[in-house]
Tab-separated table of all heavy atoms in Angstrom:
chain	number	residue	atom	x	y	z
A	1	PHE	N	52.671	-25.418	95.074
A	1	PHE	CA	52.787	-23.967	94.984
A	1	PHE	C	53.246	-23.373	96.312
A	1	PHE	O	54.133	-22.541	96.368
A	1	PHE	CB	51.441	-23.351	94.584
A	1	PHE	CG	51.372	-21.866	94.810
A	1	PHE	CD1	52.025	-20.987	93.953
A	1	PHE	CD2	50.684	-21.342	95.895
A	1	PHE	CE1	51.977	-19.623	94.167
A	1	PHE	CE2	50.634	-19.986	96.118
A	1	PHE	CZ	51.277	-19.123	95.253
A	2	LEU	N	52.641	-23.849	97.400
A	2	LEU	CA	52.977	-23.293	98.705
A	2	LEU	C	54.415	-23.606	99.108
A	2	LEU	O	55.113	-22.761	99.634
A	2	LEU	CB	52.002	-23.833	99.755
A	2	LEU	CG	50.582	-23.267	99.667
A	2	LEU	CD1	49.664	-24.022	100.616
A	2	LEU	CD2	50.555	-21.787	99.986
A	3	TYR	N	54.847	-24.816	98.839
A	3	TYR	CA	56.216	-25.178	99.189
A	3	TYR	C	57.215	-24.379	98.363
A	3	TYR	O	58.262	-23.986	98.847
A	3	TYR	CB	56.438	-26.671	98.986
A	3	TYR	CG	55.962	-27.502	100.133
A	3	TYR	CD1	54.938	-28.423	99.967
A	3	TYR	CD2	56.537	-27.369	101.405
A	3	TYR	CE1	54.487	-29.192	101.032
A	3	TYR	CE2	56.086	-28.136	102.467
A	3	TYR	CZ	55.073	-29.043	102.282
A	3	TYR	OH	54.624	-29.797	103.332
A	4	ASN	N	56.890	-24.136	97.083
A	4	ASN	CA	57.792	-23.365	96.226
A	4	ASN	C	57.795	-21.888	96.611
A	4	ASN	O	58.822	-21.222	96.572
A	4	ASN	CB	57.386	-23.519	94.764
A	4	ASN	CG	57.641	-24.919	94.249
A	4	ASN	OD1	58.534	-25.593	94.736
A	4	ASN	ND2	56.863	-25.350	93.282
A	5	ALA	N	56.612	-21.366	96.970
A	5	ALA	CA	56.518	-19.944	97.275
A	5	ALA	C	57.028	-19.618	98.668
A	5	ALA	O	57.529	-18.539	98.915
A	5	ALA	CB	55.059	-19.485	97.142
A	6	PHE	N	56.925	-20.577	99.597
A	6	PHE	CA	57.303	-20.309	100.971
A	6	PHE	C	58.206	-21.421	101.501
A	6	PHE	O	57.762	-22.295	102.226
A	6	PHE	CB	56.049	-20.189	101.853
A	6	PHE	CG	55.093	-19.162	101.380
A	6	PHE	CD1	53.979	-19.533	100.648
A	6	PHE	CD2	55.313	-17.825	101.632
A	6	PHE	CE1	53.089	-18.581	100.185
A	6	PHE	CE2	54.420	-16.871	101.181
A	6	PHE	CZ	53.304	-17.239	100.453
A	7	PRO	N	59.500	-21.402	101.116
A	7	PRO	CA	60.423	-22.432	101.620
A	7	PRO	C	60.666	-22.230	103.113
A	7	PRO	O	61.243	-21.245	103.534
A	7	PRO	CB	61.707	-22.168	100.816
A	7	PRO	CG	61.606	-20.733	100.414
A	7	PRO	CD	60.152	-20.431	100.237
A	8	VAL	N	60.196	-23.154	103.925
A	8	VAL	CA	60.359	-23.048	105.369
A	8	VAL	C	60.846	-24.383	105.906
A	8	VAL	O	60.844	-25.398	105.212
A	8	VAL	CB	59.040	-22.665	106.060
A	8	VAL	CG1	58.640	-21.272	105.695
A	8	VAL	CG2	57.940	-23.659	105.695
A	9	TRP	N	61.229	-24.417	107.173
A	9	TRP	CA	61.759	-25.628	107.773
A	9	TRP	C	60.647	-26.615	108.097
A	9	TRP	O	60.804	-27.817	107.964
A	9	TRP	CB	62.528	-25.260	109.050
A	9	TRP	CG	63.708	-24.391	108.759
A	9	TRP	CD1	64.485	-24.417	107.644
A	9	TRP	CD2	64.229	-23.352	109.582
A	9	TRP	NE1	65.458	-23.471	107.707
A	9	TRP	CE2	65.331	-22.785	108.890
A	9	TRP	CE3	63.879	-22.824	110.820
A	9	TRP	CZ2	66.079	-21.741	109.416
A	9	TRP	CZ3	64.626	-21.789	111.336
A	9	TRP	CH2	65.722	-21.262	110.640
A	10	GLU	N	59.547	-26.113	108.628
A	10	GLU	CA	58.458	-26.989	109.009
A	10	GLU	C	57.160	-26.459	108.420
A	10	GLU	O	56.902	-25.270	108.450
A	10	GLU	CB	58.323	-27.051	110.538
A	10	GLU	CG	59.573	-27.556	111.236
A	10	GLU	CD	59.453	-27.419	112.743
A	10	GLU	OE1	58.310	-27.332	113.216
A	10	GLU	OE2	60.487	-27.385	113.409
A	11	CYS	N	56.336	-27.358	107.874
A	11	CYS	CA	55.119	-26.883	107.227
A	11	CYS	C	54.042	-27.954	107.334
A	11	CYS	O	54.283	-29.108	107.023
A	11	CYS	CB	55.395	-26.574	105.756
A	11	CYS	SG	54.001	-25.895	104.881
A	12	VAL	N	52.869	-27.587	107.804
A	12	VAL	CA	51.738	-28.499	107.887
A	12	VAL	C	50.631	-27.937	107.025
A	12	VAL	O	50.228	-26.790	107.220
A	12	VAL	CB	51.228	-28.650	109.338
A	12	VAL	CG1	50.037	-29.617	109.387
A	12	VAL	CG2	52.347	-29.145	110.230
A	13	PHE	N	50.148	-28.749	106.063
A	13	PHE	CA	49.185	-28.241	105.088
A	13	PHE	C	47.831	-28.921	105.214
A	13	PHE	O	47.735	-30.114	105.397
A	13	PHE	CB	49.724	-28.454	103.672
A	13	PHE	CG	48.794	-27.954	102.611
A	13	PHE	CD1	48.718	-26.601	102.348
A	13	PHE	CD2	47.988	-28.831	101.893
A	13	PHE	CE1	47.854	-26.129	101.377
A	13	PHE	CE2	47.131	-28.358	100.921
A	13	PHE	CZ	47.068	-27.004	100.661
A	14	SER	N	46.775	-28.136	105.105
A	14	SER	CA	45.409	-28.668	105.054
A	14	SER	C	44.708	-28.071	103.861
A	14	SER	O	44.719	-26.861	103.660
A	14	SER	CB	44.641	-28.302	106.325
A	14	SER	OG	43.256	-28.493	106.128
A	15	CYS	N	44.071	-28.897	103.007
A	15	CYS	CA	43.412	-28.405	101.801
A	15	CYS	C	42.273	-27.452	102.137
A	15	CYS	O	41.932	-26.592	101.342
A	15	CYS	CB	42.864	-29.575	100.979
A	15	CYS	SG	44.149	-30.550	100.166
A	16	ASN	N	41.661	-27.603	103.306
A	16	ASN	CA	40.485	-26.806	103.623
A	16	ASN	C	40.828	-25.408	104.121
A	16	ASN	O	40.165	-24.443	103.763
A	16	ASN	CB	39.645	-27.514	104.686
A	16	ASN	CG	39.000	-28.768	104.140
A	16	ASN	OD1	38.662	-28.815	102.976
A	16	ASN	ND2	38.842	-29.771	104.972
A	17	ILE	N	41.851	-25.284	104.974
A	17	ILE	CA	42.111	-23.980	105.574
A	17	ILE	C	43.532	-23.489	105.347
A	17	ILE	O	43.963	-22.531	105.956
A	17	ILE	CB	41.822	-23.998	107.085
A	17	ILE	CG1	42.643	-25.082	107.783
A	17	ILE	CG2	40.354	-24.189	107.364
A	17	ILE	CD1	42.493	-25.065	109.299
A	18	GLY	N	44.255	-24.111	104.430
A	18	GLY	CA	45.591	-23.632	104.114
A	18	GLY	C	46.618	-24.107	105.118
A	18	GLY	O	46.517	-25.194	105.663
A	19	ILE	N	47.595	-23.282	105.404
A	19	ILE	CA	48.644	-23.681	106.329
A	19	ILE	C	48.165	-23.549	107.768
A	19	ILE	O	47.689	-22.516	108.190
A	19	ILE	CB	49.893	-22.808	106.120
A	19	ILE	CG1	50.429	-22.986	104.709
A	19	ILE	CG2	50.961	-23.150	107.135
A	19	ILE	CD1	50.898	-24.395	104.413
A	20	LEU	N	48.319	-24.626	108.535
A	20	LEU	CA	47.955	-24.590	109.938
A	20	LEU	C	49.106	-24.053	110.783
A	20	LEU	O	48.903	-23.308	111.729
A	20	LEU	CB	47.567	-25.998	110.408
A	20	LEU	CG	46.358	-26.627	109.712
A	20	LEU	CD1	46.118	-28.024	110.281
A	20	LEU	CD2	45.116	-25.773	109.910
A	21	SER	N	50.321	-24.475	110.458
A	21	SER	CA	51.490	-23.935	111.156
A	21	SER	C	52.640	-23.871	110.179
A	21	SER	O	52.711	-24.643	109.237
A	21	SER	CB	51.875	-24.837	112.338
A	21	SER	OG	52.265	-26.102	111.877
A	22	ILE	N	53.525	-22.925	110.393
A	22	ILE	CA	54.601	-22.753	109.428
A	22	ILE	C	55.879	-22.307	110.132
A	22	ILE	O	55.968	-21.201	110.652
A	22	ILE	CB	54.198	-21.749	108.326
A	22	ILE	CG1	55.222	-21.728	107.219
A	22	ILE	CG2	53.940	-20.373	108.864
A	22	ILE	CD1	54.725	-21.074	105.949
A	23	GLY	N	56.791	-23.256	110.287
A	23	GLY	CA	58.151	-23.040	110.724
A	23	GLY	C	58.429	-21.975	111.755
A	23	GLY	O	57.606	-21.548	112.520
A	24	ARG	N	59.663	-21.505	111.729
A	24	ARG	CA	60.117	-20.511	112.681
A	24	ARG	C	60.563	-19.237	111.984
A	24	ARG	O	61.255	-18.416	112.563
A	24	ARG	CB	61.279	-21.105	113.504
A	24	ARG	CG	60.863	-22.261	114.387
A	24	ARG	CD	62.033	-22.821	115.180
A	24	ARG	NE	62.973	-23.544	114.327
A	24	ARG	CZ	62.845	-24.842	114.039
A	24	ARG	NH1	61.822	-25.520	114.518
A	24	ARG	NH2	63.720	-25.457	113.278
A	25	ASN	N	60.164	-19.083	110.739
A	25	ASN	CA	60.586	-17.918	109.982
A	25	ASN	C	59.457	-16.896	109.946
A	25	ASN	O	58.467	-17.063	109.262
A	25	ASN	CB	60.968	-18.341	108.550
A	25	ASN	CG	61.634	-17.215	107.778
A	25	ASN	OD1	61.192	-16.073	107.830
A	25	ASN	ND2	62.693	-17.545	107.062
A	26	LEU	N	59.582	-15.827	110.734
A	26	LEU	CA	58.518	-14.833	110.857
A	26	LEU	C	58.207	-14.173	109.523
A	26	LEU	O	57.055	-13.912	109.199
A	26	LEU	CB	58.906	-13.779	111.898
A	26	LEU	CG	57.865	-12.677	112.158
A	26	LEU	CD1	56.565	-13.310	112.654
A	26	LEU	CD2	58.390	-11.673	113.174
A	27	ASN	N	59.234	-13.911	108.722
A	27	ASN	CA	59.015	-13.272	107.434
A	27	ASN	C	58.122	-14.135	106.542
A	27	ASN	O	57.218	-13.641	105.874
A	27	ASN	CB	60.356	-13.017	106.743
A	27	ASN	CG	60.199	-12.300	105.411
A	27	ASN	OD1	59.566	-11.251	105.335
A	27	ASN	ND2	60.758	-12.879	104.353
A	28	ASN	N	58.368	-15.433	106.550
A	28	ASN	CA	57.545	-16.331	105.758
A	28	ASN	C	56.117	-16.377	106.279
A	28	ASN	O	55.165	-16.489	105.513
A	28	ASN	CB	58.132	-17.745	105.764
A	28	ASN	CG	59.307	-17.878	104.806
A	28	ASN	OD1	59.395	-17.149	103.825
A	28	ASN	ND2	60.203	-18.797	105.105
A	29	GLN	N	55.945	-16.297	107.606
A	29	GLN	CA	54.610	-16.278	108.177
A	29	GLN	C	53.841	-15.053	107.697
A	29	GLN	O	52.667	-15.141	107.333
A	29	GLN	CB	54.691	-16.282	109.703
A	29	GLN	CG	55.174	-17.600	110.284
A	29	GLN	CD	55.227	-17.542	111.800
A	29	GLN	OE1	55.060	-16.475	112.397
A	29	GLN	NE2	55.459	-18.681	112.421
A	30	GLU	N	54.491	-13.916	107.683
A	30	GLU	CA	53.831	-12.688	107.242
A	30	GLU	C	53.450	-12.780	105.770
A	30	GLU	O	52.366	-12.347	105.370
A	30	GLU	CB	54.750	-11.494	107.497
A	30	GLU	CG	54.973	-11.201	108.979
A	30	GLU	CD	56.008	-10.131	109.190
A	30	GLU	OE1	56.750	-9.824	108.224
A	30	GLU	OE2	56.097	-9.597	110.318
A	31	ARG	N	54.343	-13.345	104.973
A	31	ARG	CA	54.054	-13.500	103.546
A	31	ARG	C	52.895	-14.456	103.341
A	31	ARG	O	52.061	-14.266	102.464
A	31	ARG	CB	55.297	-14.000	102.807
A	31	ARG	CG	56.436	-12.991	102.741
A	31	ARG	CD	57.709	-13.657	102.260
A	31	ARG	NE	57.548	-14.241	100.945
A	31	ARG	CZ	58.370	-15.158	100.438
A	31	ARG	NH1	59.367	-15.613	101.168
A	31	ARG	NH2	58.174	-15.635	99.232
A	32	LEU	N	52.833	-15.514	104.152
A	32	LEU	CA	51.765	-16.497	104.025
A	32	LEU	C	50.416	-15.894	104.391
A	32	LEU	O	49.418	-16.099	103.698
A	32	LEU	CB	52.044	-17.698	104.916
A	32	LEU	CG	50.983	-18.810	104.861
A	32	LEU	CD1	50.930	-19.402	103.464
A	32	LEU	CD2	51.279	-19.877	105.883
A	33	ILE	N	50.376	-15.129	105.471
A	33	ILE	CA	49.131	-14.475	105.869
A	33	ILE	C	48.639	-13.553	104.771
A	33	ILE	O	47.453	-13.502	104.446
A	33	ILE	CB	49.333	-13.692	107.184
A	33	ILE	CG1	49.557	-14.673	108.342
A	33	ILE	CG2	48.142	-12.795	107.474
A	33	ILE	CD1	49.964	-14.001	109.635
A	34	ASP	N	49.571	-12.821	104.164
A	34	ASP	CA	49.208	-11.919	103.068
A	34	ASP	C	48.644	-12.703	101.892
A	34	ASP	O	47.667	-12.291	101.264
A	34	ASP	CB	50.438	-11.120	102.625
A	34	ASP	CG	50.102	-10.118	101.538
A	34	ASP	OD1	49.279	-9.212	101.787
A	34	ASP	OD2	50.653	-10.242	100.424
A	35	MET	N	49.234	-13.874	101.600
A	35	MET	CA	48.771	-14.694	100.493
A	35	MET	C	47.371	-15.240	100.757
A	35	MET	O	46.500	-15.236	99.880
A	35	MET	CB	49.753	-15.836	100.248
A	35	MET	CG	49.444	-16.712	99.019
A	35	MET	SD	48.236	-18.011	99.329
A	35	MET	CE	49.178	-19.039	100.463
A	36	ILE	N	47.142	-15.705	102.013
A	36	ILE	CA	45.841	-16.261	102.357
A	36	ILE	C	44.746	-15.204	102.239
A	36	ILE	O	43.641	-15.469	101.772
A	36	ILE	CB	45.873	-16.873	103.768
A	36	ILE	CG1	46.755	-18.123	103.774
A	36	ILE	CG2	44.471	-17.218	104.269
A	36	ILE	CD1	46.953	-18.725	105.141
A	37	GLU	N	45.053	-13.971	102.661
A	37	GLU	CA	44.072	-12.902	102.585
A	37	GLU	C	43.703	-12.570	101.152
A	37	GLU	O	42.616	-12.072	100.877
A	37	GLU	CB	44.614	-11.651	103.291
A	37	GLU	CG	44.680	-11.793	104.812
A	37	GLU	CD	45.290	-10.590	105.485
A	37	GLU	OE1	45.887	-9.762	104.767
A	37	GLU	OE2	45.165	-10.479	106.713
A	38	LYS	N	44.599	-12.873	100.212
A	38	LYS	CA	44.352	-12.575	98.802
A	38	LYS	C	43.815	-13.789	98.040
A	38	LYS	O	43.662	-13.733	96.830
A	38	LYS	CB	45.644	-12.075	98.149
A	38	LYS	CG	46.132	-10.738	98.693
A	38	LYS	CD	47.441	-10.315	98.046
A	38	LYS	CE	47.926	-8.989	98.619
A	38	LYS	NZ	49.232	-8.583	98.035
A	39	THR	N	43.559	-14.888	98.744
A	39	THR	CA	43.045	-16.086	98.090
A	39	THR	C	41.683	-15.814	97.470
A	39	THR	O	40.790	-15.291	98.140
A	39	THR	CB	42.915	-17.239	99.105
A	39	THR	OG1	44.204	-17.532	99.638
A	39	THR	CG2	42.348	-18.484	98.443
A	40	PRO	N	41.480	-16.150	96.193
A	40	PRO	CA	40.154	-15.967	95.584
A	40	PRO	C	39.097	-16.746	96.348
A	40	PRO	O	39.349	-17.837	96.857
A	40	PRO	CB	40.343	-16.527	94.169
A	40	PRO	CG	41.818	-16.486	93.919
A	40	PRO	CD	42.459	-16.706	95.253
A	41	ARG	N	37.894	-16.188	96.412
A	41	ARG	CA	36.809	-16.801	97.179
A	41	ARG	C	35.569	-16.912	96.296
A	41	ARG	O	35.210	-15.964	95.600
A	41	ARG	CB	36.512	-15.929	98.406
A	41	ARG	CG	35.430	-16.453	99.330
A	41	ARG	CD	35.078	-15.420	100.381
A	41	ARG	NE	36.225	-15.020	101.161
A	41	ARG	CZ	36.469	-13.778	101.545
A	41	ARG	NH1	35.659	-12.806	101.204
A	41	ARG	NH2	37.535	-13.504	102.261
A	42	ILE	N	34.917	-18.074	96.353
A	42	ILE	CA	33.726	-18.287	95.538
A	42	ILE	C	32.597	-18.874	96.367
A	42	ILE	O	32.806	-19.767	97.194
A	42	ILE	CB	34.035	-19.199	94.331
A	42	ILE	CG1	32.814	-19.322	93.415
A	42	ILE	CG2	34.502	-20.580	94.769
A	42	ILE	CD1	33.130	-19.945	92.076
A	43	ALA	N	31.387	-18.347	96.173
A	43	ALA	CA	30.192	-18.917	96.776
A	43	ALA	C	29.696	-20.032	95.862
A	43	ALA	O	29.411	-19.790	94.687
A	43	ALA	CB	29.114	-17.849	96.943
């Protein structure tokens, strides 16, 4: 899902905390931050 939604040059993924670093595309970084903030959360 992340690769399809955010096509970037470089991407490092962690299942626990999402994207650790993401390419050199600032627009994609902003979109990713927005997506992470909207991630559903469960106790």
Side-chain angles (χ1 to χ4, degrees):
F1 165 75
L2 288 172
Y3 278 117
N4 291 332
F6 304 100
V8 293
W9 297 327
E10 301 172 21
C11 183
V12 180
F13 180 77
S14 164
C15 288
N16 291 327
I17 57 175
I19 299 297
L20 298 179
S21 64
I22 189 164
R24 294 180 289 272
N25 189 317
L26 181 60
N27 182 53
N28 281 333
Q29 290 180 351
E30 293 173 345
R31 292 168 59 198
L32 180 63
I33 291 172
D34 183 61
M35 185 276 293
I36 291 175
E37 289 177 347
K38 294 178 181 178
T39 299
R41 182 189 303 140
I42 185 167

